Amino acid sequence: MRVAIIVWQFPVLSETFILNIITGLLDRGNEVDIYAYLPGDTSK
């Protein structure tokens, strides 16, 4: 199954529940596309 996740900013470390959902979907063999309006802080 293909799943699209639409978020305002990615990655946001304070929203770990979204990361848990994405990794859970990937672990079950789904294809996940993430669309963000703004790039997150990728330095961490």
Side-chain angles (χ1 to χ4, degrees):
M1 179 186 332
R2 292 191 67 175
V3 179
I5 305 288
I6 302 170
V7 293
W8 184 254
Q9 185 176 359
F10 186 82
V12 178
L13 294 177
S14 63
E15 296 178 344
T16 56
F17 63 94
I18 293 176
L19 297 175
N20 291 337
I21 291 170
I22 293 169
T23 56
L25 288 167
L26 290 170
D27 289 343
R28 289 171 179 79
N30 296 294
E31 293 181 43
V32 178
D33 294 319
I34 303 166
Y35 299 98
Y37 291 103
L38 300 172
D41 182 16
T42 58
S43 63
K44 296 180 182 174

